[in-house]
Amino acid sequence: MKRRLSILAAAVAVLGVAAAPATASRTRTFSTLDEATSTNWAGYAVTAPDSTFTDVKGSWVQPSATCAVRKSTYSSFWIGLGGSNEGAQGLEQAGTASDCRPNGQAANYAWYEIIPAPPVVVPLTVSPGDAITAEVSVTGTTASFQLTNTTTGQVYSGQDNVTALDLTSAEWIAEAPAQCSSLSSGNCTVLPLANFGSVLFSSAATTVTSPTVTNYTGTISDPTWSFTSISLGGGPGASAATPSDLSADGTSFSVSWLATGGLADNPNTTAKPKAKAKPKPKAKAKPKPKPKPKPKVKPKPKPKTSTAA
């Protein structure tokens, strides 16, 4: 998700060691075949050679961001098609956000986006704790978006034209958005990640067409494709986020926020110095009582004896 300086919110998701504009190539840093490090993504992505992903679904519970006064931080939670492969030029995504304003209050809202266009904030009320279900599908050059707040019963459905179509992957992501001076500019900066605690993704599924299958639907761990676990590195002094292992059926996982920058990232946590233990006063040794002198016993006088004359 990308944010332009001139608007409230815009989005782009970028994997790699540095933020990049929507039209720039994306790179990834891998530690193993199925693990990746990103500066602003945390979650899972699936890819398959010569395949087209046409639909993605997922659910999550809107987190409650912990905000500090005079500190703006940002977080987004979404599902999408495209954008994770190197050289990808587009991304079709829908999700929610929880941003911290300088007044210490969190702003929660729903949106969809087709990169390189700016995001569209949709009329769906979102509050912390709400259960959100989303679906993104593409037919031809038309992308369809559906966001449902199953807690309130509200539903948003919409369509938009895709100018830079990318259907090479599917994703389920918690993100630190990036801010760019313009949609085509390469001058982008990843924004500070809000302390969202943790977010649980569930009911994850995607549909693919390949040389061997047509409109096949499976979970993240389906053997039809490869899946990658993505950790948000954060960089020196910045917050980070990491995904958990997938559930046994491959449909769910959680992403947890990490305060790699120290306790200052969490306004509710203050490091209190441990009080030094006061030294206990040494007890003065009590003087041993002097033994009382034994009274001297006077010898009894011997009786005098008289002699007869």
Side-chain angles (χ1 to χ4, degrees):
M1 187 176 188
K2 178 176 66 180
R3 298 167 192 269
R4 287 194 298 169
L5 295 174
S6 58
I7 60 176
L8 171 64
V12 63
V14 181
L15 280 174
V17 295
T23 56
S25 63
R26 296 168 175 83
T27 59
R28 294 182 293 178
T29 303
F30 289 91
S31 56
T32 67
L33 181 62
D34 59 353
E35 294 182 359
T37 300
S38 168
T39 55
N40 63 332
W41 278 17
Y44 281 85
V46 299
T47 58
D50 303 319
S51 298
T52 300
F53 292 86
T54 56
D55 186 274
V56 61
K57 299 176 182 177
S59 302
W60 62 91
V61 177
Q62 182 72 1
S64 179
T66 300
C67 301
V69 178
R70 296 187 299 276
K71 187 175 182 180
S72 297
T73 53
Y74 308 85
S75 59
S76 295
F77 318 97
W78 54 268
I79 60 169
L81 297 171
S84 67
N85 287 312
E86 184 174 355
Q89 301 296 308
L91 173 63
E92 305 83 46
Q93 55 184 166
T96 61
S98 185
D99 298 341
C100 289
R101 305 304 190 206
N103 62 0
Q105 299 298 313
N108 296 274
Y109 54 93
W111 53 271
Y112 78 82
E113 182 177 17
I114 301 173
I115 291 187
V120 177
V121 176
V122 303
L124 185 77
T125 302
V126 179
S127 300
D130 286 354
I132 306 298
T133 297
E135 180 177 8
V136 177
S137 60
V138 174
T139 303
T141 59
T142 300
S144 299
F145 306 93
Q146 181 164 299
L147 287 159
T148 303
N149 186 329
T150 58
T151 300
T152 64
Q154 285 184 293
V155 179
Y156 168 81
S157 295
Q159 293 183 331
D160 212 334
N161 292 324
V162 184
T163 58
L165 186 64
D166 184 10
L167 301 176
T168 59
S169 61
E171 301 89 20
W172 300 259
I173 298 295
E175 181 186 8
Q179 186 176 47
C180 301
S181 57
S182 68
L183 288 175
S184 60
S185 170
N187 183 21
C188 297
T189 303
V190 177
L191 297 170
L193 180 64
N195 177 1
F196 60 85
S198 66
V199 57
L200 174 64
F201 286 88
S202 60
S203 304
T206 187
T207 301
V208 70
T209 294
S210 72
T212 58
V213 295
T214 300
N215 292 331
Y216 174 82
T217 299
T219 67
I220 297 175
S221 60
D222 193 287
T224 306
W225 42 71
S226 300
F227 68 88
T228 300
S229 170
I230 307 165
S231 295
L232 195 161
S239 299
T242 57
S244 69
D245 292 337
L246 289 172
S247 60
D249 61 1
T251 63
S252 62
F253 64 93
S254 62
V255 177
S256 299
W257 175 90
L258 299 174
T260 58
L263 293 173
D265 284 311
N266 189 341
N268 290 337
T269 304
T270 304
K272 295 182 179 180
K274 293 183 179 179
K276 294 182 179 179
K278 294 181 180 180
K280 295 181 179 180
K282 293 182 180 180
K284 294 182 178 179
K286 295 182 179 180
K288 294 181 180 180
K290 293 181 179 181
K292 295 181 179 180
K294 294 181 180 180
K296 293 180 179 180
V297 179
K298 293 182 178 181
K300 294 182 179 180
K302 292 182 179 180
K304 291 181 180 181
T305 56
S306 59
T307 56

